[in-house]
Amino acid sequence: HRYFMAGRGAGKSWTLCLDVLLRALANPGVPGALLGRTERDLSRNLLPFLSEHLRVLEAATGVSYVQRYSRADQVIELRNGATIHWRGYERVDKLRGQNLAWVALDEVCWSETDPLTVWETVAATVRLPCPAPGMAVASSPNGLRGITRLFNERQQEKDPQWWVTCCTSYDNPFLGRDVIESWRRAMSERRFAQEVLAKALRPSSVVFTEFDTSRHIIDHDWRQHPGCRWVFGIDWGVSRAAALAIQVLNDGRW
């Protein structure tokens, strides 16, 4: 599994579509899928990039690799028998019945659908044997959570099957520096760090990072105040969670 974590305008979608073509060439005779947030994202951004990569390949080799291109069926068939299906994952449950060898996900960290729900649903469809299986993600980080946190934890475990490549918006030589600097003036420091410098920042309002045993574990018998109100905070993680319980006494202490 591979995650291209990059800033705005760094070339994420262009790179992902190139990766899709390379995966299709490396896995003859099996289907894969290019998944965008919406069908509109696919038609406006992803498919034009993929078509341009195919054109460049034909110009370089003198061979037309596309055997069939059908917008109605949302599929491209290549000469090696590989097929590239494209779908939007905004209704991810519709993808449950797919049988795929590989999948590419675009901007999944900024999806209106929960990113981990998308990942877990789509991951179960990648089950066909092939030389180069796996899932590829290209997205700007949206905090150290969801898929970003999942990849971070796998890397902390030194799992050799999970790879992350990072770059900032500045790393794209075709993107004007004046454009990027205009973003700096228009964004907050935190937003610029995350969406331009591609830093996976911890959420600013979570329970887990604020928790401290010396401050929050209090030797207090809560049963002495059965009529008092409780306030609960929960921070759900990928493989762990933290919960905080606060009892508010009648005099305002807690």
Side-chain angles (χ1 to χ4, degrees), residues 13-67:
S13 299
W14 184 95
T15 304
L16 186 70
C17 290
L18 179 57
D19 186 83
V20 164
L21 178 55
L22 295 175
R23 285 276 147 171
L25 295 175
N27 294 303
V30 293
L34 171 60
L35 306 180
R37 288 180 297 182
T38 63
E39 300 289 335
R40 189 174 184 177
D41 279 0
L42 282 160
S43 61
R44 285 194 169 188
N45 301 320
L46 300 173
L47 290 180
F49 285 141
L50 182 56
S51 296
E52 177 61 14
H53 291 318
L54 286 164
R55 186 197 65 77
V56 172
L57 178 64
E58 181 177 353
T61 61
V63 177
S64 175
Y65 280 77
V66 178
Q67 191 162 321

Side-chain angles (χ1 to χ4, degrees), residues 143-144 187-196 199-205:
L144 187 58
M187 295 180 180
S188 67
E189 183 177 347
R190 179 181 177 86
R191 190 177 186 90
F192 186 85
Q194 182 165 268
E195 295 193 34
V196 178
K199 293 183 178 181
L201 304 177
R202 287 186 177 275
S204 59
S205 58

Side-chain angles (χ1 to χ4, degrees), residues 207-218 244:
V207 174
F208 190 82
T209 55
E210 298 298 325
F211 183 75
D212 182 272
T213 54
S214 64
R215 289 190 295 126
H216 294 127
I217 301 297
I218 301 172
L244 182 65

Side-chain angles (χ1 to χ4, degrees), residues 37-159:
R37 288 180 297 182
T38 63
E39 300 289 335
R40 189 174 184 177
D41 279 0
L42 282 160
S43 61
R44 285 194 169 188
N45 301 320
L46 300 173
L47 290 180
F49 285 141
L50 182 56
S51 296
E52 177 61 14
H53 291 318
L54 286 164
R55 186 197 65 77
V56 172
L57 178 64
E58 181 177 353
T61 61
V63 177
S64 175
Y65 280 77
V66 178
Q67 191 162 321
R68 176 172 173 259
Y69 188 111
S70 174
R71 282 191 171 270
D73 295 332
Q74 295 182 297
V75 65
I76 299 173
E77 296 179 5
L78 302 184
R79 284 186 175 274
N80 66 350
T83 52
I84 303 171
H85 299 266
W86 68 81
R87 301 285 188 278
Y89 56 75
E90 72 271 27
R91 296 181 180 178
V92 69
D93 286 336
K94 289 189 174 183
L95 300 170
R96 287 179 176 272
Q98 300 291 323
N99 290 289
L100 303 168
W102 53 268
V103 166
L105 291 160
D106 184 62
E107 287 290 10
V108 67
C109 295
W110 294 91
S111 165
E112 292 185 3
T113 307
D114 176 65
L116 277 180
T117 299
V118 174
W119 176 272
E120 292 170 355
T121 302
V122 173
T125 69
V126 181
R127 48 195 179 217
L128 296 180
C130 68
M135 297 175 63
V137 174
S139 181
S140 298
N142 187 8
L144 187 58
R145 58 184 178 181
I147 288 176
T148 305
R149 185 170 178 176
L150 177 63
F151 271 82
N152 177 260
E153 290 183 349
R154 295 297 178 268
Q155 287 211 315
Q156 295 298 321
E157 297 164 2
K158 300 188 184 302
D159 191 322

